[in-house]
Amino acid sequence: MSTVSTLVNACLMPAYDGRVPPDWVLRALDEGIAGVGLFGTNLLSSGGPLREDIVDPLRAVRPDALIALDEEGGDVTRLDYHRGSVYPGNHALGTVDDPELTRQVALAIGSDLREAGINLCLGPCADVNSRPNNPIIGVRSFGAGPGLVARHTQAFVRGLQERGVAATLKHFPGHGDTGTDSHTALPDIHRDLDALRVLDLPPFAGGIAAGAKAVMTGHIRLPHLAELPATLSHRVVTGLLREELGYEGVVISDALEMAPILDRWGFGGAAVLAWAAGVDLVLLGATDGEKILPEVHRAVEDALREGTLSLDRLEEAAARVAALRAWAAPAEAARRDRSPATGSGIGLDAARRALTTTGPPLVTAEGPVHTVRLVGSTNMAVGTAPWGLEPALELLGALASSTDVEHGTDPQDIPLPATGPVAVVVRDAGLDPWQSAALRSLRRRRPDLVTVEMGLGAQTSGTDTRLLLTRGAGLANAVAAAERLTGRTRTDPLRD
C-alpha cells in the first residue's frame, strides 16, 4: 500500500452490517484501519457473548485496534441494548450530584467495557442541556448548569480511564442549546464566543483537565464563529479546541453518515474537510463501510493533488491515533488498572438515589401493578433499546398487566383498569402534546394513578397528581421506580 493509503487507514473508523465481522473488515484491519465502531445494528441479532462474536475476531487480526461504542448508561447503551442499561445515565447522576458516585458508576461501566474487549467509549456527554426541549440531548446531559456538568464530566472521565478505557467528551463545542436533532438536520446555535466560554466550554475544559483521551465534535453550526459545521470547521476544531483549550489528544468526528453532513458533502468530501479542520479520527457511522472506504481514499488523493489537504496533517492525525491505540491496548490497560472492583449493583444504588416524587405522597401498591406505557418517538442515539416498567415489575413479581399505547391514539380509546394500582409510564411527556393530553384524560378517569416519567419530566404534572421521576429510562431506573411503587426490593444483580 502507498504511504497515503496507510495514513488514511490509520485515521478511519468504519462499521459493518450484521453481528459477526465480515471478511472485508478483517482485511481492512490488516491493512491498518484504526479500528471499528460498533452500533445497535451490530447487536440486534442474538448470538454468543459480544467479546467472542465480535471483539476476539477483530483483535486476532489487530490486537491494538480501537473498538468503540456508545455506552453512556441510562437511555444510550450498547452493552445492554436488548434489555436496558443496568446503570442510570447522566441526568440521574447529575440529579444526585455526588461526583464520587458518578466516578464509581463510570468505574463499573469501564469494567464492563474492558471485560467485553471495548477500549474506546464514545462518552460521556459533556453537553450542558440549556434548552429543555432539546430533542437529542435531554437526559444524556448531567444537567443545565455548566459547573454541575463540568464536575460530573471530570468524575466520569476519571472512572472510565482508571479502567483503561478511553473516554470521549462529546459533542464539542456543546450540543445543549439545539432545537434540532443533528441526525436529521443541521442545528444552528446562535451564541457568540463569550457565551460559549461561559455556558458550554467549562465541561470540556474540565474533562480535558481530567485527562480525557478523546473529544468528539458535534454536527452543529455556530454562525458567530464559522459557516461550516463544527466537525468541518478549522476555526472550531483547531482554533477553539486545540489553541484556546489547549487540547492535545485525539479529536474524533461524530458519524459522517448523519444527514446534514452526508447529504451535502458525502463521505469522501466530509472526511477531507474534517481532517483539514483538525479532526484526527473519522467515524463513518453505522453504515456498512466496505464501499465507503474507497470513496474516502479517492477524495483524499484528489484533495492532496488540489492542495486542500496536506500530507503533514494526515501524518499528525495518524500519530495521535497511534498514541491512543498504544494507551488503550488491552495489555497496557490491564497493567494500569489498580482500582478496586466495582460491581453493577452500584447502578441500582445510584438509580434509587436519583428518584424524585412530586404531588401527594406515593402510597405503596397493594398487590400487583397495572402499567400503561405511552410510546412516544425516540432518537437515533437511543435506538431501539427497551424501556418501561414492565420488565422491572416482572423481576419483582409485581406486574398485573401491561398495555403499550401507540403515539397518536385517541386518549378515550386507551384501556385503563377500573381497579387496582395503575402506573402510567411516559418519557418526556411535557415535550409531547399527545402524551400530555393522554395523561390528562387518564387522570380524569383514574385520579389515583401514578405517573412515572422516565425522561426529563418538564411540565409533566401539576401539584395534585402523583408523579415519580426516574431521571432516565435504563433498566436500573425502572427497577428503582418499581421498588418505590411496590415496597419490594431487588436483591440479586441486574446482570449476571
Side-chain angles (χ1 to χ4, degrees), residues 39-400:
F39 294 84
T41 49
N42 302 116
L43 307 172
L44 288 173
S45 60
S46 59
L50 183 152
R51 182 163 195 147
E52 293 178 11
D53 283 359
I54 298 175
V55 174
D56 287 348
L58 298 174
R59 295 218 181 280
V61 178
R62 187 162 195 186
D64 68 342
L66 294 172
I67 303 178
L69 49 68
D70 291 289
E71 192 58 46
E72 301 174 16
D75 292 40
V76 179
T77 180
R78 299 297 178 258
L79 291 179
D80 290 306
Y81 200 61
H82 292 284
R83 58 180 297 173
S85 180
V86 300
Y87 306 102
N90 288 358
H91 182 49
L93 296 172
T95 297
V96 177
D97 195 13
D98 178 352
E100 177 56 22
L101 177 66
T102 296
R103 176 181 160 274
Q104 290 292 326
V105 169
L107 272 170
I109 291 173
S111 294
D112 292 349
L113 291 169
R114 274 273 308 281
E115 184 177 347
I118 306 301
N119 57 358
L120 176 58
C121 179
L122 302 180
C125 275
D127 304 301
V128 178
N129 198 55
S130 54
R131 180 181 291 208
N133 66 343
N134 189 313
I136 185 61
I137 302 302
V139 294
R140 301 170 65 195
S141 169
F142 289 111
L148 170 76
V149 177
R151 60 180 171 266
H152 287 277
T153 297
Q154 287 184 305
F156 203 100
V157 167
R158 291 187 176 115
L160 271 182
Q161 295 192 169
E162 283 178 43
R163 289 290 186 243
V165 176
T168 306
L169 309 176
K170 62 185 185 184
H171 307 80
F172 188 84
H175 210 315
D177 189 34
T178 59
T180 302
D181 183 348
S182 58
H183 290 86
T184 57
L186 183 64
D188 279 348
I189 296 180
H190 295 282
R191 281 185 178 159
D192 60 20
L193 186 53
D194 288 340
L196 278 175
R197 287 170 175 150
V198 172
L199 297 171
D200 295 294
L201 297 186
F204 291 96
I208 290 168
K213 293 296 178 181
V215 173
M216 176 180 284
T217 56
H219 296 332
I220 52 180
R221 196 172 72 98
L222 298 103
H224 291 287
L225 269 72
E227 284 301 311
L228 289 171
T231 298
L232 312 182
S233 168
H234 189 274
R235 173 71 183 90
V236 173
V237 178
T238 298
L240 194 56
L241 179 56
R242 294 285 188 206
E243 296 173 0
E244 179 162 332
L245 295 189
Y247 182 62
E248 297 178 353
V250 169
V251 179
I252 305 177
S253 74
D254 206 344
L256 296 191
E257 70 175 359
M258 292 162 65
I261 301 298
L262 185 62
D263 290 352
R264 179 169 177 184
W265 290 282
F267 284 107
V272 165
L273 286 172
W275 281 315
V279 169
D280 303 306
L281 181 59
V282 166
L283 181 67
L284 296 177
T287 305
D288 188 89
E290 183 175 14
K291 295 180 180 179
I292 300 171
L293 295 181
E295 175 188 342
V296 173
H297 280 270
R298 288 192 298 270
V300 169
E301 293 284 359
D302 291 344
L304 290 172
R305 194 164 44 249
E306 295 164 3
T308 54
L309 180 64
S310 71
L311 205 59
D312 287 347
R313 172 77 269 276
L314 287 175
E315 289 172 343
E316 176 187 55
R320 287 201 185 103
V321 176
L324 177 59
R325 287 202 324 271
W327 182 92
E332 282 298 301
R335 183 181 62 80
R336 282 191 307 271
D337 184 2
R338 289 181 169 82
S339 299
T342 303
S344 62
I346 189 70
L348 182 52
D349 291 342
R352 289 167 177 153
R353 291 177 61 182
L355 289 175
T356 307
T357 61
T358 66
L362 289 184
V363 178
T364 301
E366 296 182 2
V369 177
H370 301 273
T371 68
V372 177
R373 186 174 68 129
L374 305 184
V375 183
S377 59
T378 186
N379 62 63
M380 289 178 67
V382 173
T384 60
W387 67 281
L389 277 189
E390 295 85 349
L393 288 167
E394 286 180 331
L395 286 174
L396 297 176
L399 178 65

